[in-house]
């Protein structure tokens, strides 16, 4: 890898780490960058996933204040993310590269619609809730599991999907939900990375550059994201999600 390519990949990692901290979809920056430099799709996906793990961890650290009082929620949904991420990583290694991409844009757009409708849906659902500790039961756990499968397979807009689920069905502050999202994304990316290290080819130079950049970007993005009011953050999620869908439809 030449010096200019190294700078570009590192810069893409910074941008991806910042975007992942606020909402997700950082993969749509780093993955196309690697493809542009001639990396095969699966090698680019695997190296990118591994490189983004430190960024999701730094984003989770940046939201540590918002994670207070969420231990039971994180354990509950963390188990779903762990299983889902493992399944998704194995699917990446077994299925054709384009198997999931046919349905991904529709999935992301549906998530964006849920984010837009979240205040109205939350009001309609509130009388069914049993209080602030209610975490959606088995259907919500299965939704997090499905998101983990997608995240382990490809991961672009994994955060949008999680925030759509959380913001619609969990009665809690949006920033606290974003903190939980960062932890779950770390689990998904982490377990997928372990699988890839064990059985897949990895470009360690690309993964290392993305790791350095995403770590810095995750810390900066967390500082920025924690200051966003809920309506602004909701709008940002929708813009990122729609952009992600358009990019994937055009690719």
């Amino acid at each position: 890898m030449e010096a200019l390519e190294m700078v570009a990949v590192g810069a893409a990692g910074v941008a991806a780490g910042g975007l992942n901290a606020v909402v997700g979809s950082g993969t749509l920056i780093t993955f196309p960058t690697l493809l542009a430099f001639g990396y095969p799709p699966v090698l680019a996906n695997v190296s990118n996933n591994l490189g983004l793990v430190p960024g999701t961890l730094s984003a989770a650290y940046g939201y540590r204040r918002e994670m207070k009082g969420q231990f039971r929620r994180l354990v509950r949904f963390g188990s779903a993310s762990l299983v889902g991420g493992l399944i998704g990583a194995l699917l990446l290694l077994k299925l054709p590269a384009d198997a999931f991409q046919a349905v991904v844009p529709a999935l992301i757009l549906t998530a964006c619609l849920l984010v837009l409708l979240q205040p109205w849906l939350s009001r309609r659902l509130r009388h069914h809730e049993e209080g602030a500790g209610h975490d959606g039961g088995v259907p919500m756990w299965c939704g997090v599991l499905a998101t983990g499968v997608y995240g382990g397979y490809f991961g672009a807009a994994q955060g949008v999907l999680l925030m759509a689920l959380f913001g619609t069905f969990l009665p809690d502050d949006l920033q606290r939900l974003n903190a939980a999202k960062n932890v779950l994304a770390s689990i998904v990316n982490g377990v997928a990375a372990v699988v890839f290290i064990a059985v897949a080819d990895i470009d360690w130079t690309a993964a290392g550059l993305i790791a350095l950049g995403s770590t810095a970007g995750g810390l900066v993005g967390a500082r920025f994201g924690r200051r966003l009011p809920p309506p602004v953050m909701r709008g940002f999620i929708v813009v990122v999600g729609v952009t992600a869908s358009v990019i994937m439809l055009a690719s």
Side-chain angles (χ1 to χ4, degrees), residues 38-152:
Y39 285 78
V42 173
L43 177 62
N45 199 8
V46 167
S47 304
N48 173 68
N49 176 285
L50 182 61
L52 289 178
V53 171
T56 55
L57 290 173
S58 68
Y61 176 78
Y63 272 89
R64 61 194 180 280
R65 294 179 184 176
E66 285 75 15
M67 283 190 285
K68 290 181 180 178
Q70 297 200 72
F71 179 76
R72 291 182 63 184
R73 173 183 289 168
L74 293 175
V75 171
R76 171 178 165 79
F77 292 140
S79 63
S81 294
L82 182 68
V83 174
L86 177 61
I87 294 172
L90 295 174
L91 286 175
L92 175 65
L93 300 176
K94 296 294 184 181
L95 296 179
D98 59 351
F100 249 25
Q101 288 186 279
V103 298
V104 165
L107 191 62
I108 296 173
L109 289 173
T110 301
C112 292
L113 181 61
L114 285 174
V115 171
L116 278 175
L117 296 177
Q118 181 264 319
W120 178 80
L121 289 172
S122 294
R123 287 194 296 269
R124 292 295 298 264
L125 292 167
R126 192 164 291 141
H127 70 280
H128 295 299
E129 304 293 354
E130 300 175 356
H134 182 73
D135 273 346
V138 174
M140 186 66 186
W141 191 92
C142 291
V144 176
L145 172 69
T147 305
V149 172
Y150 169 67

